[in-house]
């Protein structure tokens, strides 16, 4: 869901940049993108450099995202109600802190985990 949401916001994006946006290591991202491409949800295009890959949401991916969004939103609302507003805000802060720490660690290692 997060990858589909990121691609809808970025349009076509280099794989390395997508990994930075998602704070996701290259191996996990490559594996997940391959699965999503096989399902027809995303499309790949080679860049000027044969190693460069550019990804975008396909029409099937747009359809999948539109179909999944109501259930995703409902689940988010249910979790928010269950943990309360303070719990939700605490979860969001912790998630942002963890993501920030992961991004910092990736940057320290030169862009790879």
């Amino acid at each position: 869901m997060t990858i589909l949401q990121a691609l809808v916001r970025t349009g076509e994006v280099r794989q390395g940049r997508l990994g930075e946006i998602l704070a996701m290591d290259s191996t996990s991202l490559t594996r997940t993108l391959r699965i999503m491409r096989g399902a027809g949800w995303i499309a790949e295009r080679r860049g000027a450099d044969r190693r460069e890959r550019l990804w975008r949401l396909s029409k099937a991916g747009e359809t999948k995202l539109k179909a999944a969004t109501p259930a995703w939103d409902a689940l988010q609302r249910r979790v928010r109600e269950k943990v309360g507003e303070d719990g939700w805000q605490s979860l969001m802060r912790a998630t942002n802190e963890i993501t920030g720490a992961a991004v910092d660690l990736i940057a320290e290692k030169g862009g790879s985990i």
Side-chain angles (χ1 to χ4, degrees):
M1 187 71 175
T2 304
I3 292 173
L4 296 177
Q5 291 171 329
L7 289 174
V8 93
R9 287 182 176 88
T10 61
E12 189 173 69
V13 64
R14 286 181 305 102
Q15 183 169 331
R17 178 66 184 132
L18 183 60
E20 291 169 3
I21 291 166
L22 299 171
M24 196 170 178
D25 71 277
S26 179
T27 301
S28 297
L29 182 59
T30 297
R31 184 179 325 115
T32 304
L33 292 173
R34 190 172 299 133
I35 292 166
M36 295 176 79
R37 183 186 62 207
W41 300 343
I42 60 174
E44 172 188 14
R45 180 175 69 83
R46 295 290 179 163
D49 177 340
R50 69 181 192 97
R51 295 171 296 167
E52 183 180 55
R53 292 184 178 153
L54 298 145
W55 296 95
R56 70 182 185 293
L57 198 60
S58 68
K59 291 291 183 194
E62 289 175 20
T63 301
K64 180 59 79 176
L65 183 59
K66 284 179 186 173
T69 296
W72 178 257
D73 290 343
L75 178 60
Q76 295 282 316
R77 277 191 306 277
R78 287 177 57 207
V79 170
R80 195 172 191 151
E81 289 168 5
K82 188 85 168 165
V83 300
E85 192 59 31
D86 288 343
W88 180 259
Q89 292 305 322
S90 179
L91 175 63
M92 292 300 101
R93 277 191 301 278
T95 300
N96 288 334
E97 288 175 16
I98 291 166
T99 301
V103 168
D104 290 346
L105 289 171
I106 291 168
E108 288 172 11
K109 294 202 144 239
S112 64
I113 293 179

